[in-house]
Amino acid sequence: MFATGSAEATETAVRILENGGNAVDPAVAAPLTLSDVDSDASGIGGSTSIVIHLANGRKVANDGSSHAPTTIDVERFRKFKESGRTYGYETVAAPTTLATLELARARYGPMKMAALLQPAIDFAERGYNLSKIQIVWTHKYFENIVKSSHYLSLIVLENGHSIGSAGDRQCQADLAKTLRRIAFEGVQSFYRGSIADEIEADMIRSGGFIRKTDLIRVRPREVYPLHTSYRGFDVYTLPPPSGGVGLVMSLNLLETYPSAFLAGNTAERHHVFLDTFRIAAADAQMVANRNRAPGSDSLSKAHARDRAVLIRPGTAIPHEILAAPLNPECQTQGESTTHVSIADSQGNVVSLTQTLSRSFGAKVATPGLGFPYNSFLEKFNVDQPQCPGYLQPNSPCPTDIAPTIVLREGLVFAALGSPGSNRIPGFVANVISNMVDRGMGVRDAVTAPRVVWGGMSRKRAHIEVVDPITEDDAVALEQMG
């Protein structure tokens, strides 16, 4: 089974598996194809993280978190932040996607990287059809793209100035050349070789902080996944610094309520979900903060029971109770992400999420290379050392992604993940609850209307007012606070 953000990426997954790969091989090839066909949300200029369940029962997570540059000029970055800009070379952290995919392939996939790159090269050369969502994001960031990078405009826009329409054919000739170089020279070319040299030269020329030494230092971690249970189901997700912590906390809190209550469609049920996600978001900040982390007990069932008493029927938890002792502005932001879930007939399953942070990332690209860079440094702050997003050289970039695999009695039940920035833990928890508490199949569980919390800084609930969630439910939640 395959689920990706585009028909082309799914076609790639099928092609690779038919050519002899296991689930890990298409889980490398499909994200590379997404670098072409979903380039506003992902690509080799961003980061990728993976959770893998192998047929022999072993479980691993590849943490591809990016890090702040080792020689970043904090004062210059402070001035950049004070200018109010959210894009540009100053926001770029070292990309990790290629290194993370190569780590998974080298350890668990039988195919060579050159073969896994070929479908992406083919789509970049012969073209693909623009999707409706790509058009939406291009409209939103059109002015930023045009102002920030003439070269990115040539990549994204028709003739460098027109957005085009859904279904228009788009080719990526420069990206195809870059991918061919990587296929011939190896992934090390991107981090230690000629491509790394071009990246460094462009960063120096354009005011970015990344240097070749940062690219050389890229080392994705292979770690054991974060684990919890939910009503007898085993849940494995990405450990810190990620949204996996918020997901585990959310599920532990939801488990304190009867399954039959969560299966309902009442305003009271939606209130529990919202306050659950608010508690989890606040506690996840604590765990992410090395100086104030309450320890592993914060991920325990006992901690969840203690925190669940804050949820009172008919009244939202006062915000100041949740925010203390951390500043509520410590919440990370971002928006553009894509996910891949793949299972083979042998029992290998992969859940993979990759991102550029915002759509089209930093809105800049090195001339001739053909891909946009991430904007991960935008999430850092320079004035709040008590926050997990405080900028220091080589500190990990905070993220909310949460690729997840769910098992039932040792067998795979679901592989899932989501875009959505700080709403990701809530999205994934909604789907898991829908499957477990409501007995929904995966399609219905994903498409069911949701309520989620949009972050401690904005203090905003997101409610999909679609049957069976009604306007009356939204009014009731508003009256609860």
Side-chain angles (χ1 to χ4, degrees), residues 138 142-143 145-147 149-164 170:
T138 307
F142 177 78
E143 289 188 10
I145 293 169
V146 171
K147 289 179 182 177
S149 172
H150 174 68
Y151 177 64
L152 185 65
S153 297
L154 295 176
I155 296 174
V156 173
L157 305 174
E158 185 177 352
N159 300 319
H161 57 77
S162 174
I163 293 176
Q170 187 172 67

Side-chain angles (χ1 to χ4, degrees), residues 49-361:
S49 289
I50 313 171
V51 176
I52 304 173
H53 170 80
L54 296 169
N56 62 11
R58 185 182 174 196
K59 300 157 192 70
V60 297
N62 288 353
D63 173 19
S65 300
S66 293
H67 288 71
T70 53
T71 58
I72 189 167
D73 185 334
V74 176
E75 285 307 310
R76 184 157 70 84
F77 184 74
R78 181 193 299 274
K79 292 178 181 178
F80 169 81
K81 293 281 284 188
E82 290 173 350
S83 74
R85 287 179 62 203
T86 58
Y87 61 90
Y89 279 90
E90 295 89 342
T91 66
V92 181
T96 67
T97 284
L98 280 169
T100 308
L101 295 176
E102 172 63 6
L103 175 64
R105 182 210 66 80
R107 294 191 178 181
Y108 306 108
M111 298 182 69
K112 300 294 186 183
M113 179 58 87
L116 302 180
L117 280 160
Q118 193 58 51
I121 294 169
D122 293 343
F123 280 115
E125 287 183 333
R126 73 171 184 253
Y128 54 91
N129 296 328
L130 290 175
S131 67
K132 291 181 180 179
I133 192 65
Q134 286 176 301
I135 299 300
V136 168
W137 287 118
T138 307
H139 271 288
K140 179 173 180 177
Y141 286 112
F142 177 78
E143 289 188 10
N144 290 354
I145 293 169
V146 171
K147 289 179 182 177
S148 185
S149 172
H150 174 68
Y151 177 64
L152 185 65
S153 297
L154 295 176
I155 296 174
V156 173
L157 305 174
E158 185 177 352
N159 300 319
H161 57 77
S162 174
I163 293 176
S165 304
D168 286 355
R169 200 77 172 167
Q170 187 172 67
C171 298
Q172 299 282 11
D174 283 354
L175 179 58
K177 293 176 184 176
T178 298
L179 296 178
R180 284 193 181 280
R181 289 171 64 184
I182 296 167
F184 180 73
E185 300 171 10
V187 170
Q188 66 270 16
S189 175
F190 190 94
Y191 295 100
R192 297 171 178 270
S194 60
I195 296 176
D197 292 334
E198 292 181 40
I199 292 172
E200 180 180 59
D202 186 38
M203 290 289 164
I204 293 172
R205 183 171 57 247
S206 305
F209 298 111
I210 295 298
R211 297 295 181 265
K212 189 173 182 179
T213 52
D214 295 302
L215 298 171
I216 293 172
R217 288 171 64 94
V218 169
R219 292 286 190 279
R221 299 184 305 148
E222 180 171 290
V223 295
Y224 192 75
L226 198 59
H227 171 256
T228 192
S229 62
Y230 186 70
R231 307 193 198 281
F233 291 74
D234 286 296
V235 180
Y236 297 89
T237 188
L238 198 65
S242 76
V245 170
L247 172 61
V248 167
M249 291 177 168
S250 295
L251 293 175
N252 288 346
L253 285 160
L254 290 175
E255 198 176 36
T256 65
Y257 287 84
S259 187
F261 172 77
L262 298 186
N265 283 300
T266 64
E268 292 74 22
R269 180 257 190 195
H270 305 325
H271 166 217
V272 166
F273 268 72
L274 286 172
D275 267 351
T276 286
F277 299 147
R278 293 175 68 209
I279 293 172
D283 286 7
Q285 286 184 15
M286 296 280 287
V287 171
N289 189 316
R290 297 172 184 171
N291 297 325
R292 295 178 178 266
S296 59
D297 287 349
S298 62
L299 299 175
S300 69
K301 303 290 187 181
H303 176 79
R305 289 191 294 270
D306 290 342
R307 295 291 274 166
V309 301
L310 293 174
I311 304 176
R312 302 294 178 86
T315 304
I317 302 170
H319 185 73
E320 59 271 13
I321 292 177
L322 293 176
L326 291 181
N327 190 311
E329 301 302 322
C330 295
Q331 189 80 2
T332 61
Q333 299 296 323
E335 64 192 4
S336 199
T337 300
T338 192
H339 184 80
V340 172
S341 294
I342 293 179
D344 64 24
S345 60
Q346 303 165 42
N348 302 296
V349 181
V350 180
S351 181
L352 176 153
T353 307
Q354 60 183 27
T355 183
L356 295 174
S357 190
R358 289 188 183 269
S359 288
F360 302 107

